[in-house]
C-alpha cells in the first residue's frame, strides 16, 4: 500500500512537508497498515468459527439467525466500545455488517 497516494493519480500528499512530519506520518501509517492486517486476520479467524457454527446449525436443523444472541452481542460490543472510547454506534454498525455476512454464510451452508 502506498502511503502518500490519495487516489489513483500517483501524486504525493506529503510533497513540501517538513521531513520530520513526513517521517511521523509514515510511521503512523505503517502502524495503521499493521492494525488493518491484524483486523483482517482476526475477521478471518472469526469467520472460521462462524462457519463451524453454521455447519453445526445446518446439521441440527437450527435457524441461521439467532436474534436473541445477536442482540446480546450488540449490547456487549456497545459496552466494549464505550470502555475503549470508540463510538458505540459505529461498533454496532460494524457488528451488524459482520452478523449479516455470517447469516448469509449460514444460509448458504444450510442449502448445501
Amino acid at each position: 500500500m502506498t502511503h502518500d497516494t490519495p487516489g489513483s493519480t500517483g501524486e504525493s500528499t506529503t510533497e513540501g512537508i517538513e521531513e520530520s512530519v513526513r517521517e511521523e506520518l509514515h510511521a503512523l501509517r505503517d502502524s495503521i497498515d499493521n492494525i488493518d492486517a491484524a483486523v483482517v486476520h482476526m475477521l478471518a479467524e472469526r469467520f472460521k468459527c462462524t462457519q463451524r457454527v453454521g455447519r453445526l446449525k445446518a446439521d441440527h436443523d437450527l435457524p441461521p439467525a439467532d436474534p436473541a444472541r445477536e442482540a446480546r452481542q450488540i449490547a456487549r460490543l456497545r459496552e466494549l466500545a464505550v470502555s475503549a472510547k470508540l463510538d458505540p454506534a459505529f461498533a454496532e454498525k460494524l457488528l451488524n455488517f459482520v452478523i449479516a455476512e455470517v447469516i448469509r454464510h449460514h444460509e448458504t451452508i444450510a442449502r448445501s
Side-chain angles (χ1 to χ4, degrees):
M1 176 187 275
T2 306
H3 296 291
D4 297 325
T5 15
S8 58
T9 63
E11 297 175 16
S12 175
T13 60
T14 60
E15 288 179 16
I17 295 177
E18 192 176 310
E19 183 63 26
S20 64
V21 173
R22 186 182 356 249
E23 287 173 4
E24 184 175 2
L25 184 60
H26 182 74
L28 289 168
R29 287 177 172 169
D30 280 346
S31 293
I32 291 167
D33 291 351
N34 289 336
I35 293 165
D36 287 346
V39 168
V40 167
H41 287 281
M42 292 300 296
L43 282 170
E45 286 301 311
R46 188 185 196 288
F47 279 108
K48 286 178 190 174
C49 290
T50 61
Q51 290 288 343
R52 291 175 60 196
V53 168
R55 283 191 291 279
L56 187 62
K57 285 181 171 185
D59 290 346
H60 296 279
D61 295 319
L62 298 170
D66 185 344
R69 161 121 171 112
E70 294 157 18
R72 287 191 309 272
Q73 286 299 95
I74 289 168
R76 180 178 161 271
L77 196 69
R78 287 183 68 91
E79 288 177 17
L80 288 170
V82 168
S83 69
K85 299 191 180 359
L86 179 68
D87 178 5
F90 169 76
E92 182 173 347
K93 286 178 195 173
L94 178 62
L95 186 59
N96 280 327
F97 179 77
V98 170
I99 288 170
E101 186 67 8
V102 168
I103 291 169
R104 190 180 67 77
H105 291 177
H106 289 184
E107 289 169 345
T108 300
I109 291 168
R111 285 192 302 268
S112 60

